[in-house]
Structures are given as C-alpha cells and as structure tokens.
Amino acid sequence: MDEGKLAALYRNRFPEQALARKAAIWKTLCQHYFQRFVASGDTVLDLACGYGEFINNITAKEKIAIDLNEDARKYLTSDVRFEQVSATAIAPILGGSVDVVFTSNFLEHLPDRQTLEILLDQVRAVLKPGGRFMIMGPNLRYLPGEYWDFYDHTLGLTHLSLSEVLALKGFQVETCIDRFLPYTTQGALPTHPLLVRYYLLVPFAWGFLGKQFLIVARTPE
C-alpha cells in the first residue's frame, strides 16, 4: 500500500477524538507490563510505530520509531527519533545497535510469508546478541472471521505459526501468550488506567477477553 493510501487509512480508522483514549491505555500497558522487558539503558525500536503509543510511553535510553506513514512524526514525543522507511529495509540504517524491537498489529499487514521472512532477517540484523523482539498481534485462531474485517489484513498468523517461523529464523521464543489483550481498543478492554492495570494483574481474564497474542523472542547470545 502506498504512503498516501496508508495515511488516509490511518486517519479514517483512528480519528483524532479516539487517540487520547488509546494513548491512555498504552501508557498503562507500558508502565505496568511492557517495561519489564526494557531496561533503562536500552535502545528500543518501534517497528511500524503507528501514532507512537508504545514508543512514547516506554522508558529507554534511546527511542527510535519507524513507519511509512509520514503522519506518525507529528504524534511522537521529542525524545523519539523518527525514520520514514520500510520495515524490510532497516538493517542498513540501524546495524546491530538495538536492544529491543517492538511491533504491534503490523505483521498481519504484510503481503505474504516471504516478506515476513525478510522482515525477520532485518530484525535479527539490527538486534544485538541476546536482544529481544516483542510482537503483539491478532490471533487468527480466536478471530477466524473478524481477522479479515480490516481491508489491509493480508497475512494470517497464530501464536503457533509465528513461533515456528521465529525458530526457523534463529530466534529463541522465551514468552508466548496466545491470549493477551482484546482485539481492539474499541472493544472490551477497560480504558481507565486503574481498570487496565487490574486487567493486567488478572491473567485469568485474558483467557476470556484476550484475542491478541504476545510473543517475546531473543537472538542468540
């Protein structure tokens, strides 16, 4: 999808009035869950950063955001470095300088498995030895119909299929949660920070409401 269509799709899907609600959810998610995977001295890359909900709220020494959508730049905080580049062309820019790569709701937009494998090779190339790749996305196993309701969803993935290709590409899966968060921020996930934090503290609830997987994989030391 070209950059103009991508920007238009994002504006339609995520109207301005919904962004504050989404940012509040992600602030709590980062502070009370994702931060455990990121050290204060780390360099973190947000791959296909969207409007920066993760990278704006995570604490790290260096923060980098990548997206093809130029609109992303205006939503990022001043401590985030933005690169408008394809996710399959990051190795020449970043080398092996990154401690943690994060991506959310992105892989399902890739056109095919071959592109996914190219992407995983690029992620391995930018990560330091022992670096982490954190991936969140809709789990096709629990969304067999709804998964395809978004026009730009083209690649079907479950927690198991993604874990398999990660292993084939030399990653070591250290965490694999098949049901983590609800499918969208417009759905069942409570939005008040205290309620989001309570949800994170009760994994039992994930089994009922969770439709997205969370996988954390590492490169060899």
Side-chain angles (χ1 to χ4, degrees), residues 44 52 65 73 95-96 107 127 130 155 171 175 178 192 198 202-203 212:
V44 180
R73 188 189 303 271
L107 302 186
L127 279 171
L155 183 62
F171 288 89
T175 299
D178 62 333
H192 190 281
Y198 181 73
V202 187
Q212 297 196 59

Side-chain angles (χ1 to χ4, degrees), residues 46-66:
D46 191 349
L47 197 63
C49 67
Y51 288 158
E53 293 87 359
F54 169 82
I55 200 68
N56 286 343
N57 289 295
I58 205 72
T59 298
K61 182 178 181 180
E62 183 176 4
K63 304 199 288 186
I64 307 164
I66 283 176

Side-chain angles (χ1 to χ4, degrees), residues 29-85:
L29 292 174
C30 287
Q31 289 180 349
H32 298 288
Y33 195 85
F34 291 122
Q35 194 65 58
R36 71 187 65 187
F37 300 109
V38 180
S40 59
D42 282 350
T43 294
V44 180
L45 168 64
D46 191 349
L47 197 63
C49 67
Y51 288 158
E53 293 87 359
F54 169 82
I55 200 68
N56 286 343
N57 289 295
I58 205 72
T59 298
K61 182 178 181 180
E62 183 176 4
K63 304 199 288 186
I64 307 164
I66 283 176
D67 206 291
L68 280 178
N69 183 5
E70 170 65 21
D71 285 354
R73 188 189 303 271
K74 66 183 181 182
Y75 294 99
L76 300 174
T77 52
S78 60
D79 59 340
V80 178
R81 166 186 160 195
F82 178 67
E83 297 282 353
Q84 188 180 8
V85 64

Side-chain angles (χ1 to χ4, degrees), residues 133-187:
F133 187 20
M134 300 164 53
I135 312 163
M136 195 172 76
N139 195 332
L140 182 59
R141 172 173 286 203
Y142 305 119
L143 295 159
E146 293 172 85
Y147 192 94
W148 305 111
D149 286 344
F150 290 98
Y151 177 69
D152 53 345
H153 282 195
T154 51
L155 183 62
L157 292 167
T158 72
H159 62 294
L160 295 177
S161 62
L162 184 54
S163 293
E164 187 171 51
V165 71
L166 284 165
L168 288 172
K169 287 296 179 178
F171 288 89
Q172 301 165 353
V173 175
E174 65 175 15
T175 299
C176 180
I177 302 171
D178 62 333
R179 291 177 176 266
F180 181 48
L181 295 183
Y183 187 28
T184 75
T185 57
Q186 306 300 319

